[in-house]
């Protein structure tokens, strides 16, 4: 394997890309020009009529890309998804990629954008990482429209009898702004609203985002908006967006956002970028609509699920596939040497700081130690009956013995694996992975949900906690237990669960590495996204509005004289 | 004149429009396909390179559409602008129209959208009235990015020494949300920011909006962002966006927004829709960039200025033309029978309520009484050396004797006038107006600013107050006087002034109708938009965040099964 350390920056590579007209990219998916609406020069939206129009085409193999428990730096899951898509095309399969849209908050914070990297990128990366076609802005606007309607409802007399202390609907902005986490609104004079405590979350955390990601049609999205619970009356009855007259306006605002966005990779593989729900308090997967179109677009649809297999993939299987009706044919578990070494518990990785030197030393034993995490994440995919491949995402500084260690772990689990160099080499670097994925997808899959709809909320939580996370059981704070009882009474008991916990451990404690055992999942609170259609128990502190660091990307991003965006990564 | 009372709704007319491909619309302006980027099917952005590329073309006649002092319902200025543009094309002149983008706040409030009306509309009106190409969202995002950088600056140690009580930068959202006018942010724990009072304005009130409307190039916009004053130190020194490291990120976020949006009217006249700064605390005019392109796009560029001639037109002349370097050739003063009757002071018009029956009775004398306002507004255009035409915008229920009364007033001032029925008849209904505008624009114009740059801020305020508003003088509250001294000391004294007062009277008291005399302008406070490049004295209560009514449009707007937006007006 060659791994040049002289790969140019993502922005340099992206700027030198040879982009093809989007009509041509759409054509690769069998989408006629009449189904495409250009948005600027290198992005298009796909009309929703494509779903019906393509419905008699054969279904592509549906591949979900997941990962081991990542470090705070991420393990190149998006890059691998892009590399795999490009590689499938290189070996003669027509492949489409589906990704979430990056959030502008982290782009201007510390994380940077999320367009993949190196020679496995989605382009144009500046458009992708900034507004794209404005879908996130539409989510922000629709969410805050409902908030304005809600506060106006209070101001105009509160006909529904909402209890001011039981209002769950906050506001959102797509920016890292800690000062907005906890605020008091409605101050001033009598005509300036009703004073109460509230706050802002980042737009990715909006239930509107989750709803739009899970809806199969405009009508379904409209109905889901109506079911949003904005708060409760003093007697504990839920009050919905429909009741206070906000759902129709939200649908008008979100109408065009429901059309998936079409972009391309550096190798001109079609990419659907659509929606970006949070990966902890929401399900962390790209849109159902994009997948309903992509599944008719060729031989393979490669879609990414957020964080490790315990998080994004579990929700992919039990929330997204439940909503879409689509059935996965194979999964990829992205693994890095550094992630497994970190899972040994011997290193501390801090975003923005250099990696600890000890982590960079050749140490296949440490990889084996951390391998318990990979074994459990493989198991988490198999729990759902889906064949899988372990993708070993190579980094400069990896040692062949360490890659071999990962391959051994995979083999001992009976799983395929492949070393990938798509960051440095583009699709060529992921051909072996692509071949393995084709084989896996040809195996008979026996996809199954982890729990049936009719299980109780507690049974669902316990199924995820014990079977996927490896907990011994679940402990509920009294408030959480009461909340679960209320939700069952309210008729929300048939919904799936989306457990909000750290993504940095299989457990709810980010300090526990590997595949922790002998622990119990503490549920301190339970909330409901009734419109999106899931209940989310909260285990640990979930931050729904990030902050900026002392020297955030926002201080450095700028434009040059030609209007090129600088220092966007 | 025929004025059918059976004109279909704006939405019905707009849906039945025969739209032409935007390439063809652009071609009418002499813009090649390479200068156009489609954004959805019926909107395009125009590349900024068009400004240079077209710079050797002959300049179009530049016509600003203003009005008498409007009622709270508006007097059809946008509709007249659209009708005039269509009519100019009908009489063989190549005309382009320039308008502000409507704000989503009022669209979901009581006002409805701002796409013109009847058979003089910009289409598609649903796209125009909702996101268009996302420029307002970009303004929101850029504004709030600076706010996040600012609060992070405080949180990370406040190196600039900002005085928490002297911070002038608030946040913005494009929604009518009174509960956000006055808020306390930064509550919670130590990691949740620095507690302080603040609030949200509507996006149209953002200085970012004014800057982007007044910039001639990306570089100029970038520099103006840097000059934004976000607050003051304890010793009174201004702290800028550049100092706290927010200006570059704002420019990256606003890069694409600076490209004007191209749409068309129902009669396929090209329309540039771009920017939408507030008409009281900002200058209330569409963008300089759009006009710099439109001025090379044919024989006529018809651009609208907000509110009456004392407001939008005064700022058009003294702020926008100062920034653009363009020189107007003619002006239109839109007048309605109801506006002049209201200016008689005998009627009270309440938005959302039916017009008072007495106002609908035939009464040319009352028109003559209110005519003092028209005379003064004519004078306000002539103060700037610009020839003008009075457009009598006909409404169903007007009486011919009342139109005649307006024509008499105009004639007695030596001004041309024309009765227009473009709402019911499209361009055909404004042909007489168009002929008069062509004549007026052929007169020798002697455009002049009302005051020179080097006049003091007080001299500038007094020039506008006494010459345009008809005040006897200006009274400054002590705080306002101190502020003016500070701004002069800070070197802001050469900026033009943008006096924030009610648009419902020539005076600062909305109850004073006609052309009030014997009053003095009370300046209670003075603020600075240093990046946008104007100082704005505040006279009266300026609401920068509207609220929703008891039954706002948001309760009724919805989508149908085909995704059509319902109840948008």
């Amino acid at each position: 394997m060659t791994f040049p350390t002289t790969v140019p920056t993502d922005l340099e590579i992206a700027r030198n890309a040879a982009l093809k007209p989007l009509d041509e990219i759409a054509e690769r998916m069998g989408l006629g020009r009449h189904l495409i609406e250009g948005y600027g020069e290198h992005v298009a939206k796909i009309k929703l009529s494509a779903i019906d129009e393509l419905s008699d085409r054969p279904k592509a193999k549906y591949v979900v890309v997941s990962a081991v428990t990542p470090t705070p730096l991420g393990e190149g899951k998006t890059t691998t998804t892009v590399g795999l898509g490009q590689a499938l095309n290189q070996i003669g399969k027509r492949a489409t990629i589906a990704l979430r849209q990056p959030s502008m908050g982290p782009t201007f914070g510390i994380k940077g954008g999320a367009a993949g990297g190196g020679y496995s990128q989605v382009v144009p990366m500046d458009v992708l990482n900034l507004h794209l076609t404005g879908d996130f802005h539409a989510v922000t606007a629709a969410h805050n429209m409902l908030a304005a309607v809600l506060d106006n409802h209070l101001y105009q007399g509160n006909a529904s009898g909402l209890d001011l202390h039981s209002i769950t609907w906050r506001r959102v902005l797509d920016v890292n702004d800690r000062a907005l986490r906890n605020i008091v609104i409605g101050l001033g004079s009598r005509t300036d609203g009703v004073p109460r405590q509230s706050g802002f979350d980042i737009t990715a955390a909006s239930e509107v985002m989750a709803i739009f990601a899970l809806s199969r049609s405009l009508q379904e999205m409209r109905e889901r908006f109506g079911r949003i619970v904005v708060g409760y009356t003093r007697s504990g009855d839920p009050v919905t967006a429909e009741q206070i007259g906000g759902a129709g306006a939200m649908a008008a605002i979100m109408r065009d956002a429901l059309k998936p966005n079409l972009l391309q990779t550096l190798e001109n593989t079609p990419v659907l970028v659509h929606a970006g729900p949070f990966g902890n308090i929401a399900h962390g997967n790209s849109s159902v609509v994009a997948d309903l179109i992509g599944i008719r677009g060729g031989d393979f649809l490669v879609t990414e699920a957020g964080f490790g297999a315990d998080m994004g993939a579990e929700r992919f299987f039990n929330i997204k596939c439940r909503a879409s009706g689509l059935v996965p044919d194979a999964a990829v578990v992205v693994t890095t040497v550094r992630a497994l070494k970190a899972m040994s518990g011997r290193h501390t990785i801090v975003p923005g700081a250099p990696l600890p030197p000890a982590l960079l030393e050749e140490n296949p034993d440490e990889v084996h130690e951390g391998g318990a995490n990979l074994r459990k994440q493989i198991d988490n995919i198999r729990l759902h009956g889906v064949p899988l491949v372990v993708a070993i995402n190579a980094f400069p500084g990896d040692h062949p013995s360490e890659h071999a260690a990962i391959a051994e772990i995979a083999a001992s689990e009976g799983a395929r694996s492949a070393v990938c160099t798509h960051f440095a080499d583009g699709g060529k670097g992921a051909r072996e992975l692509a071949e393995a994925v084709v084989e896996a997808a040809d195996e008979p899959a026996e996809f199954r949900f982890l729990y049936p709809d009719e299980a109780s909320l507690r049974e669902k939580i316990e199924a995820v906690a014990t079977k996927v996370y490896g907990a011994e059981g679940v402990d509920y704070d009294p408030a959480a237990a009461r909340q679960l009882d209320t939700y069952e009474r309210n008729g929300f008991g048939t919904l799936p669960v989306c457990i909000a916990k750290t993504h940095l451990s299989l457990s709810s404690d980010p300090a526990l590495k590997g595949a922790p055992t002998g622990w119990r999942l503490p549920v301190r609170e339970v909330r409901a996204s009734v419109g999106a259609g899931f209940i989310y128990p909260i285990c640990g502190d979930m931050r729904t509005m990030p902050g900026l660091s002392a020297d955030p990307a926002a201080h450095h991003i700028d434009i040059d004289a030609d209007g090129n965006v600088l220092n966007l990564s």
Side-chain angles (χ1 to χ4, degrees), chain A:
Chain A
M1 158 191 136
T2 59
F3 204 104
T5 51
T6 55
V7 176
T9 70
D10 290 357
L11 199 51
E12 284 164 351
I13 294 173
R15 264 194 221 147
N16 292 319
L19 277 68
K20 289 200 194 292
L22 282 167
D23 283 354
E24 207 174 302
I25 302 298
E27 184 55 44
R28 293 183 183 205
M29 293 179 62
L31 294 169
R33 189 171 291 208
H34 63 290
L35 293 172
I36 300 299
E37 299 173 358
Y39 272 74
E41 291 190 304
H42 299 300
V43 182
K45 274 191 173 287
I46 302 176
K47 291 186 192 174
L48 294 181
S49 56
I51 298 175
D52 275 352
E53 193 175 320
L54 306 182
S55 61
D56 56 353
R57 304 257 177 99
K59 272 191 187 168
K61 296 285 189 182
Y62 193 30
V63 180
V64 60
V65 178
S66 182
V68 294
T69 298
T71 69
L73 310 178
E75 303 317 308
K77 194 150 36 63
T78 305
T79 307
T80 303
T81 305
V82 173
L84 172 59
Q86 294 183 147
L88 284 164
N89 277 310
Q90 288 203 6
I91 64 170
K93 305 290 182 186
R94 282 170 55 224
T96 302
I97 294 163
L99 296 175
R100 281 179 293 169
Q101 179 179 338
S103 165
M104 272 173 65
T107 297
F108 287 90
I110 200 164
K111 180 174 176 287
Y119 289 95
S120 291
Q121 278 190 67
V122 184
V123 280
M125 70 89 94
D126 52 351
V127 176
L128 176 66
N129 283 320
L130 296 174
H131 311 284
L132 196 56
T133 58
D135 297 345
F136 274 35
H137 294 317
V139 170
T140 302
H143 186 117
N144 294 334
M145 176 61 66
L146 180 57
V149 167
L150 168 62
D151 270 292
N152 192 52
H153 177 86
L154 300 178
Y155 174 75
Q156 304 286 353
N158 191 8
S160 70
L162 265 168
D163 172 16
L164 260 60
H165 296 284
S166 304
I167 291 173
T168 48
W169 197 252
R170 291 159 49 97
R171 288 173 176 80
V172 298
L173 275 178
D174 193 11
V175 61
N176 287 11
D177 194 345
R178 66 168 65 74
L180 293 179
R181 285 175 191 154
N182 303 289
I183 68 176
V184 173
I185 62 173
L187 300 174
S189 69
R190 210 189 51 76
T191 58
D192 297 326
V194 176
R196 63 187 187 87
Q197 278 184 269
S198 190
F200 280 73
D201 299 318
I202 195 162
T203 297
S206 168
E207 185 175 349
V208 178
M209 184 70 87
I211 287 174
F212 125 79
L214 287 168
S215 298
R216 284 164 300 178
S217 67
L218 266 179
Q219 280 313 300
E220 181 179 337
M221 181 172 74
R222 169 66 184 80
E223 286 158 18
R224 286 173 178 265
F225 287 155
R227 291 200 293 270
I228 289 172
V229 173
V230 297
Y232 297 84
T233 64
R234 275 164 197 248
S235 47
D237 295 323
V239 176
T240 66
E242 198 69 58
Q243 273 174 268
I244 61 168
M250 297 173 77
I253 294 172
M254 286 295 295
R255 179 189 66 173
D256 292 331
L258 193 61
K259 301 173 194 165
N261 305 296
L262 177 65
L263 290 87
Q264 60 191 294
T265 72
L266 290 170
E267 298 181 8
N268 314 118
T269 303
V271 186
L272 302 173
V273 179
H274 205 213
F278 242 40
N280 43 41
I281 63 151
H283 65 293
N285 277 264
S286 63
S287 87
V288 162
V289 158
D291 285 6
L292 289 175
I293 293 172
I295 203 75
R296 305 289 181 177
D299 304 314
F300 278 82
L301 173 60
V302 184
T303 190
E304 184 194 351
F307 300 145
D310 55 319
M311 302 288 290
E314 186 273 308
R315 288 110 189 253
F316 171 81
F317 296 134
N318 296 302
I319 298 177
K320 186 178 176 184
C321 288
R322 241 188 187 93
S324 71
L326 295 176
V327 171
D329 296 290
V332 171
V333 179
V334 176
T335 317
T336 60
V337 168
R338 81 177 177 203
L340 292 191
K341 284 179 168 175
M343 277 293 124
S344 74
R346 295 177 191 277
H347 307 283
T348 304
I349 294 179
V350 178
L355 286 174
L359 185 140
L360 297 173
E361 285 167 20
E362 178 167 7
N363 196 340
D365 290 347
E366 216 171 70
V367 172
H368 274 290
E369 271 183 77
N373 185 273
L374 173 58
R375 293 179 198 277
K376 181 69 189 98
Q377 299 288 28
I378 289 172
D379 183 51
N380 287 341
I381 302 290
R382 289 182 169 159
L383 275 172
H384 298 88
V386 177
L388 67 96
V389 181
V390 173
I392 305 168
N393 184 22
F395 275 62
D398 284 359
H399 302 274
S401 64
E402 299 170 330
H403 291 165
I406 300 176
E408 282 163 31
I409 299 164
S412 74
E413 295 290 328
R416 295 173 180 83
S417 71
V419 177
C420 315
T421 62
H422 45 269
F423 183 93
D425 301 325
K428 189 158 61 75
R431 279 190 182 205
E432 198 189 330
L433 173 65
E435 302 281 6
V437 166
V438 171
E439 281 177 30
D442 277 340
E443 282 181 20
E446 292 166 351
F447 175 63
R448 52 186 174 269
F449 296 128
L450 191 69
Y451 48 77
D453 288 351
E454 55 275 16
S456 71
L457 292 173
R458 281 179 177 77
E459 286 167 343
K460 290 169 183 167
I461 295 168
E462 281 150 28
V464 178
T466 60
K467 294 184 189 168
V468 176
Y469 302 162
E472 290 195 341
V474 181
D475 295 326
Y476 301 95
D477 277 12
R482 275 195 307 273
Q483 200 60 64
L484 284 170
D485 296 339
T486 305
Y487 290 148
E488 297 277 5
R489 259 202 320 276
N490 289 337
F492 308 152
T494 56
L495 297 176
V497 297
C498 181
I499 300 181
K501 72 159 184 75
T502 179
H503 62 284
L504 298 173
S505 169
L506 274 160
S507 77
S508 57
D509 177 356
L512 298 181
K513 300 303 180 188
T517 53
W519 61 282
R520 298 179 63 82
L521 184 75
V523 176
R524 67 170 169 82
E525 184 186 349
V526 188
R527 297 188 202 159
S529 283
V530 181
F534 52 76
I535 300 295
Y536 60 106
I538 296 181
C539 311
D541 285 326
M542 285 303 112
R543 184 146 278 173
T544 48
M545 173 54 94
L548 292 173
S549 65
D551 190 28
H555 286 180
H556 305 286
I557 292 173
D558 208 325
I559 55 169
D560 67 14
D562 299 320
N564 293 308
V565 177
L566 305 175
N567 303 319
L568 190 66
S569 63

